[in-house]
Amino acid sequence: ILHINFQHDFTLFEGPIDAKFMKNTLGLATVARDTSHFDEMPTVRYMFDNDKAGKDAMFSKLKKGKRIFLWSKFLKDNKLDIYNIKDLNDLVKVCYKYNKPGAFKNIDNYFSDNKLDSLYL
């Protein structure tokens, strides 16, 4: 936490390994951890796992107006929805294995606080 710049966008991940693949991030080690104190920060965004628990947690954050990662939109737009991608770690492995490095180019564009985007969870 001492290496996070809270003045800029920072991303909270469910897993600490996922947090290693992006700058200015924190890994929580569980989706069940209380993150309400981060909700007060306007620069926070959430990228929990692409599973039921992660999607439920992100849906809850989206209802509060927080920015969350739109997994299904990102995977579909990058033609990665045919793979079983659970988290950022899996995404990195799939992109490496199938030579799709361009998928990461616009990853920041797939964070949203628009409640209508809950369709992409």
Side-chain angles (χ1 to χ4, degrees):
I1 200 163
L2 298 175
H3 300 282
I4 305 301
N5 183 343
F6 295 107
Q7 302 299 319
H8 296 283
D9 286 346
F10 70 99
T11 308
L12 286 183
F13 285 94
E14 187 173 333
I17 293 175
D18 297 324
K20 297 287 186 186
F21 292 104
M22 291 175 71
K23 294 179 182 177
N24 215 33
T25 62
L26 284 173
L28 301 172
T30 179
V31 73
R33 189 171 310 279
D34 178 22
T35 57
S36 59
H37 51 284
F38 289 107
D39 289 345
E40 303 303 318
M41 300 176 169
T43 56
V44 68
R45 60 190 194 172
Y46 297 90
M47 188 174 182
F48 294 145
D49 288 356
N50 185 31
D51 59 12
K52 180 161 176 27
K55 288 179 180 184
D56 288 348
M58 286 195 294
F59 182 73
S60 174
K61 295 297 183 185
L62 186 62
K63 286 193 321 189
K64 295 177 184 177
K66 301 296 144 198
R67 286 180 296 157
I68 54 108
F69 187 70
L70 306 174
W71 272 108
S72 63
K73 182 167 178 49
F74 174 82
L75 295 174
K76 183 178 180 188
D77 288 355
N78 289 283
K79 297 176 179 43
L80 295 166
D81 52 342
I82 62 170
Y83 305 102
N84 185 24
I85 297 175
K86 178 187 165 279
D87 55 19
L88 187 59
N89 183 32
D90 284 349
L91 177 62
V92 169
K93 289 188 285 188
V94 166
C95 288
Y96 177 77
K97 183 175 182 178
Y98 298 104
N99 196 26
K100 295 182 178 262
F104 293 103
K105 187 188 296 187
N106 297 316
I107 200 165
D108 288 329
N109 296 335
Y110 289 88
F111 285 89
S112 174
D113 59 3
N114 184 335
K115 292 178 182 160
L116 295 177
D117 283 334
S118 65
L119 298 171
Y120 296 113
L121 283 178

